[in-house]
Amino acid sequence: MILDLFFPNRCLHCNRIIDAHLLVCNLCFEHIHFTHYTYFEDNFIKEKCKLLFPVENTYALMQFEKENVSRKIIHELKYKSREKVGKILADWTTERLDFQNEKPDLLVTVPLHSKKLKERGYNQLHLFTETLSEFYKIPFDHELIKRNYYSQAQALKNKENRLETENTFSITKHISGKNILLIDDVFTTGNTLASIAWEILKAGDNKVSVLVMAIDV
């Protein structure tokens, strides 16, 4: 296409010209630190979540380290209006995540407040989740959880403010007896996920698992 000639797609890490459907070149792809977690075994996220709420299974696609490629990828998705990055991350996830014969019943995303959604124009988790839903044949619900207050991004908060998640979320409908996979972009303290998880657990005889695009180590 003409646009590709004048505005070629470039690797977001090294700036080399790459195919239009790629995020990074082959060389930079090798520098992405995938976690190699398995969904059913103990891992770093599971140990952290267990301190905050009862969790079944956990998975993270990448490590979110300072100045690494995965951090740049997540920032492109969240702050550079590149919603389609979510689909690429989902494709990388489906290549690595095996639910075996114990698929979750429902995929649920961490919601944005309506004000933040209007500012950004999209929830960075939706396309990611919808792509997973189509691949694994698991339904999703973007409306199950409501964010009650507009708040600063977790990454911009100091440690004390990150703990202020009480009553931030509420559940919008009755749900019981479900194994719910809660999806977020980056695992930091786990407090946001914990706040949502307890709403789901209080709602009925539910179980909660966690999937994140990256874990901040």
Side-chain angles (χ1 to χ4, degrees):
M1 295 178 64
I2 295 177
L3 285 177
D4 294 332
L5 294 175
F6 290 99
F7 304 99
N9 187 37
R10 294 182 179 273
C11 173
L12 61 85
H13 188 59
C14 72
N15 210 38
R16 287 188 182 94
I17 294 176
I18 56 177
D19 289 346
H21 66 283
L22 298 177
L23 281 178
V24 294
C25 68
N26 290 335
L27 290 175
C28 291
F29 183 82
E30 297 300 320
H31 292 286
I32 297 175
H33 296 160
F34 292 105
T35 66
H36 305 293
Y37 286 174
T38 57
Y39 183 67
F40 297 100
E41 296 179 357
D42 289 343
N43 53 53
F44 183 79
I45 295 182
K46 183 175 285 189
E47 295 304 315
K48 292 291 185 180
C49 287
K50 282 182 177 179
L51 299 175
L52 300 170
F53 62 92
V55 66
E56 297 297 312
N57 303 297
T58 55
Y59 181 80
L61 176 64
M62 307 177 294
Q63 295 180 9
F64 192 71
E65 299 166 335
K66 186 177 181 180
E67 301 302 325
N68 77 355
V69 184
S70 62
R71 183 178 289 265
K72 291 184 178 180
I73 292 171
I74 298 295
H75 281 204
E76 287 289 311
L77 172 63
K78 294 181 69 173
Y79 306 119
K80 302 294 185 178
S81 300
R82 295 186 65 179
E83 184 179 9
K84 291 183 179 179
V85 171
K87 184 183 186 309
I88 296 174
L89 292 175
D91 290 340
W92 292 352
T93 301
T94 60
E95 292 169 0
R96 294 165 175 81
L97 173 58
D98 184 4
F99 289 122
Q100 300 177 21
N101 295 319
E102 297 183 38
K103 293 195 300 184
D105 298 313
L106 186 65
L107 308 181
V108 172
T109 50
V110 173
L112 295 178
H113 188 271
S114 57
K115 181 178 178 181
K116 177 64 69 64
L117 184 61
K118 185 176 181 180
E119 290 173 356
R120 185 171 296 169
Y122 61 94
N123 183 315
Q124 71 275 8
L125 301 174
H126 285 185
L127 184 57
F128 175 81
T129 300
E130 289 158 17
T131 305
L132 296 181
S133 173
E134 182 178 3
F135 180 86
Y136 292 113
K137 308 303 179 188
I138 303 171
F140 65 86
D141 189 341
H142 296 323
E143 309 299 329
L144 179 65
I145 303 298
K146 177 184 177 183
R147 185 182 289 266
N148 297 321
Y149 308 109
Y150 179 82
S151 61
Q152 191 179 32
Q154 283 288 98
L156 301 177
K157 293 181 180 180
N158 59 37
K159 186 175 181 181
E160 289 74 18
N161 287 338
R162 286 181 183 180
L163 300 177
E164 297 176 1
T165 56
E166 186 176 1
N167 299 321
T168 300
F169 302 96
S170 58
I171 197 161
T172 63
K173 63 191 76 171
H174 175 73
I175 187 167
S176 183
K178 299 294 184 181
N179 184 354
I180 294 175
L181 183 60
L182 185 56
I183 297 175
D184 202 0
D185 46 30
V186 180
F187 184 98
T188 50
T189 64
N191 290 307
T192 295
L193 291 170
S195 180
I196 296 173
W198 280 114
E199 294 300 322
I200 293 171
L201 293 169
K202 290 187 298 183
D205 185 24
N206 299 305
K207 297 179 180 179
V208 175
S209 294
V210 167
L211 186 158
V212 294
M213 298 173 178
I215 178 168
D216 191 345
V217 296

